[in-house]
Amino acid sequence: MSPFASSISKVFYGTFIHSVSIKEIEYVPNGLLFVNTHGRIAKIVKNVPKDQVRGVLDGVADSKVVLLNDDQFVIPGFVDSHIHAPQYAYCGNGHDIPLLDWLDTLTFPHEAKFKDASYARRVYTKAVARSLRNGTTSACWFATIHLDATKELVKVIEEQGQRAYVGKVNMNQNSPDILRETTQSSVADTRAFIKFVNAINDAQSFDTKPLVTPIITPRFAISCTSDLLTELGKLAAEFDIPVQSHLCENLNEIEFAKSLFPNSTDYTSVYADHGLLTHRSIMAHCVHMTDEELQLMKDRKAGISHCASSNFNIKSGLANVRKMIDMDLKVGLGTDVAGGFSSSILDAFRTARTCSIARSPDNSLLVPELFYLATVGGARVMELDDIIGNFVVGKEFDAILVNTAAKHSPLDIFEHDTIHTKFEKYLFVGDDRNNEKVYVQGKEVRLPDF
Ligand code: GUN
Ligand code: FE
């Protein structure tokens, strides 16, 4: 066998669909996509007639070839740039209250239960499995303040094989006693958590980046004192790791945050003033941003996670994603479970579209833009677009094999359907039942049969 042939672990033959830019989805019919033993895309050959496949295989054994039928196609895995793992336990409940009351009455009492690491494992096992089942190959997870429970989340993610950023949440003010740390314990536990993840990664060998990365996670400015935010900014710099938080989600939240930090020009500046707004920062929501705040995000190269479903459910408002795109800000989609009622990025895709139409019907987001946000956009927000997001030789193969004719599929296929219409039906009508297989770094993820 040639060195090339032996370096290949799998070859897909069929239709690939991915974003090549925010304006353009590329359909590659009759394509051959070679994945190597390191999980990377080794080669792509387009437009190969079926009877010529063998000639293009370059000696790769037939047993490594996955032949797709006309109802199937491969797309990049989805990126969920904002999701709360503990909140999955009450996903779909309690939406009729705005943010600050929702946190006090529903979220904080529930998150307090994660003091019990075995309870955390039970919830996290389902949260991660459901996220993967929905085709999310990369996710930015918030855990809770609890060190042990957050370690459990990392272990569950490692076991199930998702690419993820995982954050131990920091909170030392404006929260109930059971969910309030001291500055010192918050910083010490965050440092211990980072070291825990780094030790797991050091014990393995990676060709590129490890699958799981710790992320600094101040819940939001309201939950953290200035001295805690300062220490967290220092940790982000010391370990060169990303940062995630919430920003300008709800009008009462903004007023409260501004009242707590009168020395900062605006809410976005609170993070900037504490070393927490960098090219590695991911800010969820950004619904009510001034022009100056959006410009500051752009100047710092910080990313935005647009969570339309949550913004509708807990009545936060309609984010101006068109403006963010026009400014070339980094934007991805987030499910924001349990503010959002679904951990599916297909739901985030649809709701982002509805949100953009409600904001501006004549200038709403189009399918290519939304699909880009769900894949490449999310990868940019996570600063992983050099290794995931679309199908480019050298990138890692994180993908979903979609079967539009799957058993119990929620969509129906007719004689007139083409691969284009099948793909659109999947985006608008499909669900996890159409996600036949999910791959992370070239490896098939074992999907639970719910
Ligand atoms: N702001 C601070 N905490 C949260 C949270 O858990 N969910 C949402 N949607 N916003 C927040
Ligand atoms: Fe959130």
Side-chain angles (χ1 to χ4, degrees):
M1 214 192 294
S2 70
F4 175 77
S6 56
S7 75
I8 298 301
S9 65
K10 227 181 236 90
V11 181
F12 294 86
Y13 176 69
T15 301
F16 312 109
I17 304 172
H18 67 154
S19 286
V20 287
S21 76
I22 193 158
K23 297 276 177 235
E24 192 190 345
I25 295 174
E26 183 186 31
Y27 291 79
V28 182
N30 303 322
L32 275 167
L33 188 151
F34 296 70
V35 181
N36 69 20
T37 50
H38 300 292
R40 287 174 186 267
I41 301 168
K43 182 163 141 177
I44 296 172
V45 191
K46 299 178 185 175
N47 301 312
V48 183
K50 205 165 184 179
D51 56 359
Q52 289 172 29
V53 168
R54 178 150 295 132
V56 188
L57 278 178
D58 265 354
V60 176
D62 285 357
S63 58
K64 293 182 183 173
V65 180
V66 179
L67 283 177
L68 309 187
N69 66 34
D70 289 347
D71 293 317
Q72 296 172 311
F73 49 81
V74 173
I75 60 172
F78 293 129
V79 180
D80 186 346
S81 53
H82 185 78
I83 178 165
H84 298 260
Q87 298 176 18
Y88 185 65
Y90 57 92
C91 193
N93 299 141
H95 285 127
D96 227 4
I97 15 180
L99 177 67
L100 298 178
D101 294 338
W102 177 83
L103 288 173
D104 285 338
T105 58
L106 188 69
T107 299
F108 291 162
H110 183 79
E111 288 194 11
K113 290 161 76 173
F114 286 71
K115 191 174 174 0
D116 174 356
S118 61
Y119 174 69
R121 168 163 276 272
R122 293 198 293 282
V123 174
Y124 291 162
T125 300
K126 291 196 169 153
V128 176
R130 182 68 71 177
S131 170
L132 277 163
R133 192 87 196 64
N134 280 320
T136 296
T137 50
S138 297
C140 294
W141 293 100
F142 275 59
T144 58
I145 60 166
H146 310 97
L147 176 59
D148 288 343
T150 310
K151 288 179 176 175
E152 286 304 319
L153 178 56
V154 171
K155 290 188 219 161
V156 166
I157 291 169
E158 293 272 350
E159 285 158 20
Q160 297 194 23
Q162 193 178 48
R163 193 186 293 276
Y165 289 178
V166 181
K168 189 211 88 71
V169 172
N170 304 100
M171 301 166 74
N172 74 340
Q173 66 170 357
N174 294 313
S175 55
D177 293 350
I178 39 165
L179 215 58
R180 194 180 326 121
E181 308 165 285
T182 63
T183 305
Q184 202 186 15
S185 70
S186 188
V187 174
D189 284 355
T190 303
R191 182 178 282 280
F193 176 67
I194 297 166
K195 291 197 163 164
F196 170 79
V197 181
N198 287 351
I200 292 178
N201 289 336
D202 289 346
Q204 307 174 51
S205 68
F206 293 96
D207 295 310
T208 56
K209 291 177 188 161
L211 278 185
V212 180
T213 303
I215 182 167
I216 297 292
T217 306
R219 177 168 217 120
F220 59 169
I222 291 173
S223 300
C224 301
T225 57
S226 182
D227 62 340
L228 176 56
L229 292 178
T230 301
E231 291 305 316
L232 294 176
K234 285 189 200 158
L235 280 178
E238 178 185 338
F239 290 95
D240 187 21
I241 53 176
V243 174
Q244 62 182 351
S245 195
H246 296 89
L247 175 59
C248 291
E249 176 178 4
N250 161 295
L251 294 173
N252 291 333
E253 169 216 12
I254 296 171
E255 285 319 306
F256 194 4
K258 289 207 281 199
S259 73
L260 293 170
F261 296 91
N263 295 331
S264 291
T265 310
D266 48 38
Y267 190 173
T268 307
S269 301
V270 174
Y271 296 120
D273 293 346
H274 292 89
L276 291 164
L277 200 71
T278 75
H279 65 103
R280 303 203 70 183
S281 301
I282 303 168
M283 292 294 156
H285 306 299
C286 300
V287 176
H288 308 281
M289 301 279 277
T290 63
D291 288 351
E292 289 74 21
E293 288 181 289
L294 285 174
Q295 189 57 47
L296 180 56
M297 293 289 288
K298 165 125 181 153
D299 293 345
R300 297 296 177 97
K301 301 188 173 63
I304 296 171
S305 177
H306 173 48
C307 306
S309 182
S310 165
N311 298 159
F312 278 115
N313 286 331
I314 52 174
K315 304 169 183 174
S316 302
L318 307 172
N320 193 347
V321 179
R322 169 60 66 216
K323 186 169 182 177
M324 296 168 189
I325 290 175
D326 287 347
M327 288 178 69
D328 195 26
L329 278 152
K330 299 191 297 192
V331 192
L333 300 181
T335 60
D336 194 26
V337 163
F341 54 65
S342 162
S343 67
S344 167
I345 286 291
L346 285 172
D347 170 73
F349 170 102
R350 294 164 195 162
T351 322
R353 178 172 176 275
T354 306
C355 170
S356 78
I357 295 171
R359 248 209 102 97
S360 168
D362 297 330
N363 197 13
S364 60
L365 299 179
L366 305 174
V367 167
E369 295 172 311
L370 291 157
F371 185 58
Y372 175 95
L373 296 183
T375 54
V376 182
R380 283 182 76 206
V381 165
M382 289 179 81
E383 292 231 306
L384 292 175
D385 49 316
D386 54 336
I387 55 171
I388 56 160
N390 54 4
F391 301 131
V392 175
V393 171
K395 285 197 182 186
E396 299 186 11
F397 186 70
D398 285 15
I400 310 170
L401 196 169
V402 175
N403 181 6
T404 52
K407 195 172 174 201
H408 304 308
S409 169
L411 56 88
D412 291 299
I413 301 296
F414 299 94
E415 306 87 78
H416 63 259
D417 275 311
T418 62
I419 203 70
H420 291 70
T421 62
K422 288 175 190 176
F423 174 57
E424 280 204 0
K425 283 185 176 181
Y426 167 70
L427 292 177
F428 284 93
V429 192
D431 65 19
D432 59 301
R433 286 167 290 186
N434 298 108
N435 296 340
E436 195 162 283
K437 291 183 192 293
V438 172
Y439 301 89
V440 175
Q441 224 168 32
K443 285 198 199 74
E444 186 182 331
V445 173
R446 204 174 52 79
L447 293 175
D449 202 3
F450 288 113

